[in-house]
Amino acid sequence: MTTFTAFTTLADRDSAEALAELVEELDPAPYGVGVFEIEDGSDRWEVGAYFLERPDDVALALLAMSHTAAPFAISELPDIDWVAHVRRELAPVVAGRFFVYGSHDADKVPEGSIPLLIEAAMAFGTGHHGTTLGCLSALDRLEREGLRARNVADIGCGTAVLAMAAAKLWPETVLASDIDPVAVETAAANVEANGMSGQVVCLEAAGFEHPRLKENAPFDLIFANILKAPLIALAPDMGKYCAESGQVILSGILHEQADDVIVAYVAEGFTLASRNEHGDWTTLVMQRKQ
């Protein structure tokens, strides 16, 4: 099956979302359209669309011009079994005691490790990205240093790999939430695949805006592996829903963005406990003051 892609960039989110809505109405229609913040510190946004037929070049050019977007880059993807390709390319990941793997590598799980099964078809948040690796390494270190979290939340959970990692360490129910319903479905599927139904509860929510999250607060430990802007926007709620002396593990932060995130959390009563780098990304552990 031939697939075509069309990508462009814009200066702000509102324009990107407006353009994406119009792209969805094209003929031939795309089977998927996404809007993403570009993670390079430029504050630009990307609109991407996927088609089973070659899209209308002229229509895309006119839409780009009308929204002050860069010209669409149109490409034809080769006919590849992408899941099989990902399975070949994604080797297991080791982060402290955690071993993140796909079912095709089930025979490679080391004895004494803490295994986390994430299927290749659900590859975002597998642990290969520096942000997830940083969060897992921080969690492993905190537990070794004596942390015993009785109440844990994973905000913006993606595949729920962080929530499951915490639930593997402590016999408590972990709440995993995401604003994206597809991510929530993915998280729930991973939880079931790991035999952790009931230990990790997956919720659809923006930030802490879910009754279950508010009822369970305050939390001893909170993960938020998202992006700089939403992390800063979440800082007041983090201060509200994190327990005294509780800790938050933050990532999705480029190195040059870390100081801004730290300032936002210090203003809400947190202190910097640790700061670590993995590839292009920084992971912060912030502790709420007593």
Side-chain angles (χ1 to χ4, degrees):
M1 180 177 65
T2 301
T3 299
F4 294 88
T5 63
F7 284 88
T8 186
T9 58
L10 300 91
D12 63 90
R13 178 175 183 170
D14 289 344
S15 297
E17 290 179 343
L19 176 57
E21 289 182 8
L22 293 175
V23 171
E24 289 178 349
E25 298 174 3
L26 289 174
D27 183 17
Y31 69 83
V33 179
V35 176
F36 312 94
E37 184 175 8
I38 299 173
E39 299 176 350
D40 62 359
S42 66
D43 295 323
R44 292 187 63 80
W45 289 76
E46 181 177 70
V47 174
Y50 296 82
F51 299 82
L52 295 180
E53 302 176 51
R54 184 172 182 86
D56 186 328
D57 302 53
V58 175
L60 285 173
L62 291 173
L63 287 177
M65 290 175 60
S66 67
H67 287 73
T68 321
F72 275 94
I74 301 173
S75 302
E76 180 178 350
L77 297 181
D79 188 8
I80 290 175
D81 182 342
W82 289 104
V83 171
H85 177 73
V86 169
R87 284 179 172 169
R88 288 193 300 270
E89 295 298 320
L90 292 187
V93 169
V94 177
R97 288 164 289 172
F98 297 109
F99 185 83
V100 186
Y101 69 102
S103 59
H104 56 291
D105 284 320
D107 60 339
K108 299 178 182 177
V109 178
E111 188 166 344
S113 67
I114 301 175
L116 294 165
L117 169 62
I118 304 292
E119 284 296 359
M122 303 170 178
F124 64 96
T126 57
H128 294 79
H129 199 279
T131 60
T132 310
L133 180 60
C135 290
L136 287 172
S137 299
L139 173 62
D140 180 66
R141 184 181 67 254
L142 288 173
E143 196 274 340
R144 287 181 183 275
E145 292 172 352
L147 177 65
R148 297 293 179 267
R150 294 169 303 222
N151 201 9
V152 181
D154 182 4
I155 306 299
C157 64
T159 58
V161 63
L162 302 178
M164 291 191 297
K168 291 267 189 178
L169 292 178
W170 303 295
E172 308 292 342
T173 299
V174 177
L175 300 183
S177 70
D178 203 288
I179 194 172
D180 182 354
V182 175
V184 176
E185 291 178 8
T186 297
N190 280 322
V191 169
E192 184 175 353
N194 282 269
M196 302 183 74
S197 297
Q199 291 177 268
V200 177
V201 176
C202 302
L203 309 168
E204 184 179 340
F208 291 89
E209 293 303 313
H210 192 285
R212 184 75 183 270
L213 286 164
K214 294 180 178 179
E215 289 166 8
N216 279 46
F219 295 97
D220 303 313
L221 177 65
I222 303 172
F223 298 100
N225 180 14
I226 37 182
L227 291 169
K228 172 193 170 183
L231 283 176
I232 290 175
L234 274 174
D237 277 349
M238 287 286 196
K240 181 178 179 181
Y241 295 115
C242 183
E244 289 187 2
S245 299
Q247 301 188 72
V248 297
I249 298 177
L250 310 175
S251 199
I253 310 163
L254 293 167
H255 301 323
E256 61 270 20
Q257 299 172 337
D259 288 344
D260 291 339
V261 176
I262 292 169
V263 167
Y265 279 74
V266 168
E268 300 299 332
F270 290 89
T271 58
L272 178 63
S274 68
R275 175 175 179 166
N276 294 285
E277 297 181 354
H278 293 268
D280 295 329
W281 303 92
T282 291
T283 300
L284 303 173
V285 178
M286 308 291 297
Q287 183 166 24
R288 187 162 177 259
K289 299 175 184 176
Q290 290 184 331

